[in-house]
Amino acid sequence: MADILEQDIKYLTGVGPQRQQTLSKELGIHCFGDLLEYYPYKYVDRSKVYKASELTADMPFVQLKGRILSYETFDMGARKKRLVGHFYDGTGTIDLVWFSAVKYIIQTYKVGQEYIVFGKPTVFNHRIQLSHPDIDDASALTLNDMGMQPYYITTELMKKTGLTSRAMERITKALLAKLPPLKETLPDFITAPLHLMDRDEALRVVHYPKTPHDLQKARERLKFEELFYVQLNILRYTANNRRKYKGYMLPKVGRAFKDFYTKNLRFELTGAQKRVVHEIQSDMNTGRQMNRLVQGDVGSGKTLVALMAMLIAVDNGFQAVMMAPTEILAEQHLATITAFLQEMDVRVELLTGVVKGKRRKEVLTGLATGEVNILVGTHAVIEETVMFANLGLAVIDEQHRFGVAQRAKLWAKNDNPPHVLVMTATPIPRTLAMTIYGDLDVSVIDELPPGRKPVMTLHKYENQQTSLYNGIRREVEKGRQVYVVYPLITESEKMDLQNLEDGYSHLQEVFPDYKMSKVHGRMKPAEKDAEMQRFANGETQMLVATTVIEVGVNVPNASVMIIMEAQRFGLSQLHQLRGRVGRGADQSYCILVSGYELSAETRKRLDIMCETNDGFRIAEADLKLRGPGDLEGTQQSGMAFDLKIANIAQDGQLVQMARDEAQKVIDADPNCDAPQHAMLWNRLRELRKDSVDWGTIS
């Protein structure tokens, strides 16, 4: 069976060498098996045959059975003709209309022969017509064949070689006709209790369903199988790693942790922070390597939780490292940690690209001797010249910004890999976390520190600038500061956007008495840092910037975030930008400014931002609106999504079901060698042969 599915697609009836090249280039379809897994994107019910006498223009797609009585052609200007076929079904006559391929139509579809026609009815000159209908020979297509017609996504290049949706339907039908029964890939002990259709039936039904119920059952089976093998691979990998890598035992909560908690911590931890610190402490005391993801909105106190974990490592004689994606964010973390650890005997150092010469040498020496307890840095910390005396904990902030290979270099710093704590301020829906971060235990900090007021979010249109500027003046007069964010730096020919340079000049004219900072990605790091520092120190009232301020700026005095051309930003990015304000005790505002012409999806996005500050609700909405492949981090994580039929956003229940079943298999067969699971392990090897290893995430 494997042999026939691996046959070159060019040997299938209706394909040939030219179409084979097109299918390969456009869709990655090389063999019979690839075509079998190229699923329809929609279906139209063709189980009912209508009568011409009952058609109206407001009906959806319909089909009729009858004969073409005659053809008429009408000139429509230079070298253009309209062809009308008068079609009679015994109850009335309608018009079939074509605006191209006139000669081909007349030669192919004969007057007097019986056909089944299918299309969307409209009215022209008081007559019902179907434009460019699908036509099938009635003798070749019985009513039993009808069912639901599949529609396949096609490209312009495909259409040029005749590979329309209908052509894809025909070649898929030819493939299914020549295939023997397909082998099963899930054992009875999984499919029977879940009432899943068998694989052969599901693959045939998904291309040619007779009823909506059949289609639902077929799709459920194929989605489950796809998600099951993804989860099985992740859980297999996790179980192997837990056996393979022993973690350092860090049982002691010692002097550094206790002194910090009793003397330096000036406020009470939230219940969520206490819970997560306890989870981390338990992990580092099991003898297994910790791999934990801490999710929490901007301002929820993730850095403090990470610091307390690093102090546990220090108390047990180990070093800790915190890796951030940008120099600005690394410096921000250093400033936060240094302020927390004032007058404590814990040496904290910074290592980024700007730390050079004598200073760099001192830091490297201190790491190698163990005198440096905590290192904060960028990807510079994974360079070969950086050697730790005893690295026990690695904290990775915004992990999706680091490649798999980069993160793996941290593991090589010790004989045993360090405990790993991953932090993200991008809330990840549970079903997605199960797949992208499936090998990590997940902690959620779902409380903001006491005294924080939720940011008030408003949507304004571009012509409401007077009230916008009055609001800015009111806040600045109170001594507050304002961010103004633009999507571009300079004018783009392709996209008519307000740009930062014009906006900055305009704001200087509107607010001549205010001092302003300007920051964008094309500035030199030193210039950028100097401008941000001026704003952070309160020397400027307004910071006009691009999205470089999405991470790395902590200015509690800033109370207004204005996002120009807000329709150009994704939900996740809008939420991250909003997180720059609301860091003090004062009421803060986020103003989304857009034009009037908005798509329904964009308007929904802006409405969601105004309705909620809940990062997880926003992430769920983002996943549904954009799909998993677009979410920030899924591509950089080393895990490109390659799901053919399942959808992480819409199939959450199936994701959970698949994970539960995969976990049962791992629990029953930890060494992956039990005879009753041979089908599963063989299939997993087949799937992994030509694809990404879904397990190697972190």
Side-chain angles (χ1 to χ4, degrees), residues 2-13 15-21 23-24 29-35 175 178:
D3 291 341
I4 191 167
L5 290 181
E6 287 168 13
Q7 274 191 33
D8 195 313
I9 197 73
K10 71 183 175 188
Y11 298 118
L12 184 61
T13 305
V15 181
Q18 186 187 0
R19 284 182 166 183
Q20 179 247 1
Q21 287 183 358
L23 287 169
S24 173
I29 292 176
H30 308 286
C31 62
F32 289 1
D34 294 336
L35 180 61
L175 172 63
K178 73 183 295 178

Side-chain angles (χ1 to χ4, degrees), residues 531-548:
E531 284 292 290
M532 283 191 170
Q533 204 57 53
R534 285 177 67 215
F535 185 69
N537 294 342
E539 295 169 34
T540 57
Q541 284 89 30
M542 297 177 75
L543 175 60
V544 185
T546 56
T547 52
V548 291

Side-chain angles (χ1 to χ4, degrees), residues 35-219:
L35 180 61
L36 202 58
E37 292 186 347
Y38 190 66
Y39 301 114
Y41 75 97
K42 73 170 185 178
Y43 303 82
V44 173
D45 189 353
R46 293 194 59 177
S47 56
K48 177 175 167 67
V49 175
Y50 289 83
K51 296 174 181 175
S53 59
E54 61 188 13
L55 298 191
T56 60
D58 59 355
M59 295 174 81
F61 286 88
V62 297
Q63 66 186 352
L64 300 92
K65 184 177 182 181
R67 290 178 167 80
I68 297 172
L69 300 178
S70 61
Y71 285 111
E72 271 186 279
T73 56
F74 300 87
D75 286 325
M76 295 180 62
R79 301 171 65 187
K80 288 187 178 179
K81 291 186 184 296
R82 177 166 67 98
L83 175 65
V84 176
H86 303 296
F87 186 84
Y88 179 70
D89 74 342
T91 72
T93 305
I94 66 165
D95 292 340
L96 310 180
V97 182
W98 294 269
F99 297 94
S100 59
V102 169
K103 192 175 177 183
Y104 169 81
I105 297 295
I106 293 172
Q107 288 176 345
T108 307
Y109 302 115
K110 308 296 184 186
V111 170
Q113 192 167 322
E114 194 171 42
Y115 294 107
I116 290 173
V117 298
F118 177 79
K120 171 78 176 73
T122 57
V123 172
F124 180 73
N125 281 344
H126 309 292
R127 288 175 65 83
I128 295 283
Q129 65 176 28
L130 304 182
S131 295
H132 290 266
D134 286 345
I135 302 185
D136 290 284
D137 190 326
S139 62
L141 189 66
T142 66
L143 291 180
N144 290 334
D145 289 332
M146 297 298 191
M148 300 176 71
Q149 183 177 342
Y151 280 74
Y152 298 84
I153 290 174
T154 55
T155 66
E156 288 305 312
L157 189 61
M158 288 173 67
K159 287 169 188 169
K160 284 179 183 174
T161 56
L163 285 169
T164 59
S165 172
R166 201 65 195 276
M168 293 297 292
E169 183 189 344
R170 288 190 188 106
I171 63 173
T172 306
K173 196 169 196 174
L175 172 63
L176 290 169
K178 73 183 295 178
L179 285 181
L182 297 162
K183 72 172 184 180
E184 187 50 82
T185 48
L186 291 174
D188 283 347
F189 63 77
I190 290 178
T191 58
L194 298 177
H195 307 290
L196 294 175
M197 190 180 271
D198 70 35
R199 183 167 180 260
D200 179 73
E201 185 183 0
L203 281 165
R204 294 175 191 276
V205 168
V206 81
H207 289 286
Y208 289 98
K210 288 287 189 293
T211 68
H213 178 262
D214 290 346
L215 174 61
Q216 183 190 342
K217 297 299 287 181
R219 285 173 61 82

Side-chain angles (χ1 to χ4, degrees), residues 207-417:
H207 289 286
Y208 289 98
K210 288 287 189 293
T211 68
H213 178 262
D214 290 346
L215 174 61
Q216 183 190 342
K217 297 299 287 181
R219 285 173 61 82
E220 184 181 87
R221 156 61 205 242
L222 296 171
K223 285 179 177 188
F224 174 85
E225 179 179 337
E226 199 168 55
L227 294 167
F228 171 80
Y229 280 108
V230 167
Q231 295 298 337
L232 186 65
N233 195 32
I234 290 168
L235 293 172
R236 173 200 58 83
Y237 170 84
T238 306
N240 285 351
N241 268 11
R242 285 185 171 162
R243 283 198 306 275
K244 183 177 172 184
Y245 296 122
K246 299 299 176 193
Y248 294 114
M249 288 287 287
L250 308 181
K252 191 162 74 172
V253 176
R255 187 168 60 84
F257 186 97
K258 287 173 182 171
D259 283 355
F260 170 73
Y261 194 77
T262 55
K263 297 174 186 175
N264 284 36
L265 194 58
R266 308 283 183 204
F267 51 84
E268 183 73 13
L269 293 177
T270 64
Q273 286 174 312
K274 288 177 181 175
R275 184 184 72 245
V276 174
V277 169
H278 179 71
E279 287 167 352
I280 292 166
Q281 185 189 349
S282 298
D283 281 355
M284 296 196 296
N285 196 21
T286 60
R288 267 195 347 242
Q289 185 210 12
M290 173 177 74
N291 275 295
R292 184 166 288 278
L293 170 70
V294 175
Q295 296 188 67
D297 260 342
V298 173
S300 61
K302 295 183 299 298
T303 306
L304 176 55
V305 166
L307 171 59
M308 295 173 82
M310 292 192 285
L311 291 175
I312 292 173
V314 171
D315 277 337
N316 285 274
F318 288 90
Q319 294 164 296
V321 61
M322 178 182 274
M323 200 157 93
T326 65
E327 289 181 357
I328 293 169
L329 193 53
E331 288 166 11
Q332 186 83 58
H333 284 320
L334 178 75
T336 303
I337 289 168
T338 306
F340 273 133
L341 297 179
Q342 273 179 5
E343 299 179 18
M344 284 184 61
D345 185 23
V346 177
R347 183 175 167 188
V348 185
E349 293 288 359
L350 177 73
L351 191 64
T352 66
V354 296
V355 179
K356 294 190 168 105
K358 184 182 175 186
R359 183 82 196 108
R360 188 180 188 85
K361 192 173 180 184
E362 287 172 357
V363 172
L364 293 178
T365 302
L367 285 171
T369 59
E371 294 169 65
V372 172
N373 305 113
I374 295 173
L375 180 68
V376 179
T378 55
H379 58 274
V381 306
I382 58 176
E383 291 171 5
E384 288 183 18
T385 53
V386 181
M387 303 299 293
F388 293 85
N390 200 11
L391 179 61
L393 172 65
V395 179
I396 302 173
D397 193 17
E398 297 300 342
Q399 105 135 3
H400 58 263
R401 295 174 183 239
F402 295 100
V404 174
Q406 283 179 310
R407 296 194 297 272
K409 286 183 181 176
L410 269 176
W411 287 203
K413 300 291 182 186
N414 270 41
D415 294 335
N416 266 5

